[in-house]
Amino acid sequence: MTDMDFQALEKEAREAIQQAHKADDLEALKVKYLGKKGSITALLKQVSQVPPPERPVFGQKVNQLKHLVQSLITEQQTKLAGDPDHDPGFDPTLDGIKPAVGSLHPITRTIREICVIFSRLGFDTVDGREIETEFYNFTALNIPLDHPSRDAFDTFYTPQGYLLRSQTSTVQVREMKRRKPPLRILAPGRVYRPDAVDASHSFMFHQIEGLMVDQKTNFADLKGVIHLFLKQLFGEKLKMRFRPHFFPFTEPSVEVDIKWGERWLEVLGAGQVNPMVFKYAGYPPRRYQGFAFGLGIERIVMLRYGIKDIRLLFENDQRFLEQFR
Ligand code: PHE
C-alpha cells in the first residue's frame, strides 16, 4: 500500500460519500469501507503483517483514513437530515403536534366559582374528612340515635366503626372546636350515601357547607347572604323562595328554591345554628348566633350546563369532558 494508493482510496471514498443522497446509500458506503469486510477494515487487519520499522507510519495512515471516512459519512448524514428534499420522512413545513390541553372538571370549576363568591364575603375555604365518626356526622349535629339517616341503609359504615360522611355538615363542629367566632367558613367536598345509581342518584356526590358564627348573626343575615350568593351564581334576575323545613342541627330551618323556567327547584338547605350544636362544639350557652347552609354541587352543575344524567359527571369520558374547555 503506497502513499498513492492511500490517496486514491481517500479520493474514491470522499466522492462516493458526497454523491450519496439517500440514507440507505450512505449506510451501504459505511459497510463498504468500515464494515466487517470493508476495505479500510481489511487494511487495519494488515497492520500486524507490515514489517516492524514501517508499522507505526502505516498504522497511523490507516487510522487517519478510517476517522476521515467516519466523519465524512456523519457529516453527509447530518446534511441529508437537514435537507427536506432528501429526506421524505421529514417535512419542516408541516404543523407540529399540538399537545393535548387539559381542563377543569365542571364540578371542580363550579366549586371554585362558589368559593370565590363567598371569599368576597369573607368566608375561608376549609377541608373536612371523608372518613368520619358518628359523633361529627350525627351526634354533634343533634341527630337522635333513632333517626333513619343513621341506619346502615342510608350511611356507609366501616367495620372499624367509622363511616363515610353523608353530609358536609360534619365540618361544622370540627371547625367550631378548632377556633372561636367570628367564623366564616366554606367546606366543599365529597359525601357518600348508599343510593342505587340512576340518572339522578350516585353513591358519591359533592356538597358545599357554609357556616357563619358571630355574636349577632341572625336570620336576616342568612337571607341576605344566600340571596347575594344565588344571584351571583345564576344572574341578577333569579327568583328564589325560602320555604320552612326541618333539620335537627338548625332552628329555624329552610329550604331554598330557585325558579327554573316554570318550575321551582330546591337548591339548598339552611337555618340558624341550633344551640345544641354550639353545646357540642363546647361554646358557652347563649354567647353566639349563626347560620349554616348546605348545597349539592351536582344539582347546580347539571342545571347550569343542561346535563340530564349525573353519571356523565363521573365516567371520565373525554368526549363529554372536552365540552367544558
Ligand atoms: N346537611 C344538609 C343536607 O345534607 C344540608 C344543610 C346544611 C341544611 C346546613 C342546613 C344547614 O341535606
Side-chain angles (χ1 to χ4, degrees):
M1 194 82 185
T2 64
D3 274 0
M4 288 281 281
D5 294 338
F6 269 111
Q7 277 166 22
L9 186 54
E10 184 190 318
K11 189 169 176 243
E12 177 206 300
R14 190 187 291 276
E15 281 170 8
I17 291 167
Q18 277 165 0
Q19 273 157 30
H21 289 307
K22 288 209 215 85
D24 286 353
D25 296 348
L26 266 180
E27 204 50 45
L29 288 172
K30 200 168 171 181
V31 172
K32 182 179 173 190
Y33 294 110
L34 305 169
K36 256 199 188 130
K37 293 182 180 146
S39 46
I40 297 177
T41 313
L43 287 175
L44 276 166
K45 284 180 190 155
Q46 285 172 28
V47 173
S48 57
Q49 285 143 43
V50 172
E54 292 147 42
R55 206 178 286 165
V57 177
F58 183 82
Q60 204 184 8
K61 280 188 178 150
V62 179
N63 262 321
Q64 269 171 1
L65 186 61
K66 179 186 152 192
H67 288 127
L68 176 75
V69 170
Q70 260 170 351
S71 59
L72 286 172
I73 289 174
T74 314
E75 200 178 300
Q76 186 72 359
Q77 274 170 337
T78 320
K79 212 164 129 192
L80 289 189
D83 185 348
D85 291 340
H86 290 117
D87 187 353
F90 178 72
D91 181 351
T93 65
L94 282 179
D95 284 344
I97 297 166
K98 228 189 209 162
V101 177
S103 60
L104 291 179
H105 192 283
I107 290 179
T108 309
R109 188 187 291 197
T110 301
I111 288 175
R112 293 199 185 172
E113 251 177 74
I114 293 173
C115 289
V116 167
I117 294 174
F118 277 99
S119 75
R120 292 196 283 258
L121 297 171
F123 283 71
D124 289 336
T125 300
V126 300
D127 256 339
R129 303 183 181 187
E130 290 176 29
I131 298 174
E132 265 293 1
T133 59
E134 280 195 59
F135 177 77
Y136 288 109
N137 201 82
F138 297 120
T139 311
L141 292 166
N142 195 38
I143 297 174
L145 273 174
D146 59 358
H147 194 275
S149 67
R150 290 204 186 220
D151 200 284
F153 288 109
D154 286 305
T155 299
F156 288 110
Y157 289 90
T158 74
Q160 294 81 10
Y162 294 95
L163 51 80
L164 296 182
R165 68 175 175 188
S166 59
Q167 49 184 352
T168 46
S169 300
T170 49
V171 297
Q172 289 188 23
V173 169
R174 270 201 181 279
E175 280 302 309
M176 285 195 277
K177 280 192 170 203
R178 255 167 35 88
R179 39 177 163 163
K180 298 259 151 307
L183 206 78
R184 288 180 199 186
I185 54 158
L186 209 61
R190 294 189 172 101
V191 299
Y192 301 83
R193 293 179 193 177
D195 285 330
V197 176
D198 63 25
S200 52
H201 294 86
S202 168
F203 53 85
M204 182 281 296
F205 57 99
H206 297 73
Q207 286 188 331
I208 295 191
E209 193 80 5
L211 176 68
M212 175 164 173
V213 180
D214 207 335
Q215 308 221 328
K216 286 188 166 56
T217 303
N218 58 32
F219 198 79
D221 296 313
L222 181 160
K223 285 188 82 173
V225 167
I226 298 298
H227 219 85
L228 229 132
F229 158 58
L230 288 175
K231 287 198 169 205
Q232 293 220 3
L233 194 62
F234 288 105
E236 266 317 298
K237 291 206 184 85
L238 184 79
K239 289 210 159 46
M240 67 190 87
R241 69 179 183 192
F242 291 70
R243 199 162 30 75
H245 198 72
F246 174 81
F247 296 105
F249 36 94
T250 48
E251 181 58 30
S253 304
V254 288
E255 274 191 337
V256 181
D257 301 332
I258 61 170
K259 191 84 186 276
W260 201 258
E262 291 304 298
R263 301 196 298 150
W264 286 103
L265 295 176
E266 183 242 314
V267 286
L268 62 86
Q272 290 296 112
V273 178
N274 189 315
M276 285 298 288
V277 176
F278 286 142
K279 194 174 158 197
Y280 281 111
Y283 289 176
R286 283 179 292 279
R287 172 135 356 137
Y288 300 115
Q289 224 185 14
F291 64 83
F293 58 89
L295 65 142
I297 304 298
E298 280 74 4
R299 191 72 192 284
I300 289 181
V301 170
M302 289 168 77
L303 280 179
R304 295 179 85 197
Y305 296 108
I307 298 165
K308 295 281 184 303
D309 192 321
I310 194 171
R311 288 168 291 199
L312 287 166
L313 292 170
F314 304 122
E315 285 166 351
N316 281 341
D317 186 331
Q318 299 281 315
R319 291 167 299 179
F320 170 75
L321 293 173
E322 267 171 7
Q323 301 173 92
F324 306 96
R325 286 269 162 94

